[in-house]
């Protein structure tokens, strides 16, 4: 779930509930109709979307760069029909090496984490992806995947909060222009129900510093 940042968006859930056969984008009395899903969005977490290996390992000179890899083409599918919301993320890893002599395998660690409210990591799993460079080839590619689960009840707004966000607003109502998220209790409830799945390389502290400062 993402925060509702306008009056129209704040009224969208009610419109969704009562719309029947109305379509997303239709303008209704309660606001602009928009589709809603409890599925968490999937994203590559910066600055962990790429990794640089050095040879020698303690050097940070550009001439010592050995292998550079990045995560691309991230896609997510979601099943929200059960007790748990299950998200499956798939992605590609593209890599380039400095020296193309000889066949070589490079194994890189990556993670998938579930983040609640934009900052709290509630689950993390580390896996590995193998890149196989053929003799004479500078580049190699591979694929990775990760599956995460979020308890559906945790990603569902309490009924009283839902009513505040989606209540009908009429012309002349002094509260019609008040963003429901200006209420700290509403904002906190929305944040608790908002989850994201973040994917990236499982970097060391030194690798994180390199990515952040290069």
């Amino acid at each position: 779930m993402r925060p509702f940042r306008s009056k129209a968006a704040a009224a969208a859930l009610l419109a969704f509930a009562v719309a029947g056969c109305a379509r997303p984008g239709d303008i209704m009395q309660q606001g602009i109709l928009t589709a809603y899903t409890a599925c968490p969005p999937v994203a590559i977490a910066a600055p962990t979307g790429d990794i640089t290996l050095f040879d020698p390992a303690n050097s940070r000179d550009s001439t010592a760069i050995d292998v550079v890899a990045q995560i691309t083409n991230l896609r997510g599918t979601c099943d929200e029909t059960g007790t748990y919301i299950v998200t499956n993320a798939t992605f590609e890893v593209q890599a380039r090496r400095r020296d193309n002599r000889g066949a070589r395998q490079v194994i890189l660690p990556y993670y998938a984490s579930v983040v609640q409210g934009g900052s709290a990591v509630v689950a993390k799993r580390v896996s590995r992806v193998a890149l196989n460079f053929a003799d004479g080839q500078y580049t190699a590619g591979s694929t990775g995947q990760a599956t995460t689960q979020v308890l559906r009840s945790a990603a569902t707004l309490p009924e009283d909060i839902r009513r505040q966000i989606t209540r009908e607003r009429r012309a002349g109502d002094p509260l019609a222009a008040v963003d429901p998220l200006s209420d700290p209790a509403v904002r906190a409830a929305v944040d608790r129900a908002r989850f994201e799945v973040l994917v990236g390389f499982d970097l060391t502290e030194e690798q994180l510093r390199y990515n952040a400062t290069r």
Side-chain angles (χ1 to χ4, degrees), residues 95-214:
R96 184 175 183 85
R97 62 176 176 169
R98 178 185 60 192
D99 187 347
N100 71 340
R101 292 172 296 179
R104 179 184 177 190
Q105 182 180 76
V106 176
I107 298 177
L108 299 175
Y110 68 89
Y111 70 89
S113 62
V114 178
V115 179
Q116 182 180 24
S119 60
V121 177
V122 296
K124 179 181 178 181
R125 182 176 181 179
V126 177
S127 303
R128 287 169 175 77
V129 60
L131 295 158
N132 294 297
F133 294 90
D135 183 24
Q137 296 296 313
Y138 285 102
T139 61
S142 188
T143 58
Q145 69 88 31
T147 300
T148 63
Q149 293 184 337
V150 173
L151 190 62
R152 184 177 179 82
S153 60
T156 302
L157 285 174
E159 187 58 34
D160 60 328
I161 299 297
R162 185 187 294 267
R163 284 197 299 269
Q164 290 186 60
I165 292 175
T166 62
R167 70 177 181 83
E168 185 175 342
R169 288 158 173 78
R170 298 181 182 277
D173 183 348
L175 296 179
V178 176
D179 185 349
L181 292 182
S182 62
D183 183 334
V186 174
R187 166 69 71 176
V190 170
D191 283 344
R192 285 194 300 270
R194 180 166 57 92
F195 292 86
E196 299 171 288
V197 175
L198 300 181
V199 174
F201 288 111
D202 195 41
L203 304 180
T204 65
E205 290 186 9
E206 181 62 28
Q207 289 169 333
L208 278 170
R209 281 195 294 269
Y210 175 80
N211 280 5
T213 59
R214 63 186 172 180

Side-chain angles (χ1 to χ4, degrees), residues 52-67 98:
T52 303
L53 305 181
F54 291 87
D55 185 18
N58 61 350
S59 174
R60 291 299 176 265
D61 190 86
S62 60
T63 60
I65 292 177
D66 182 28
V67 176
R98 178 185 60 192

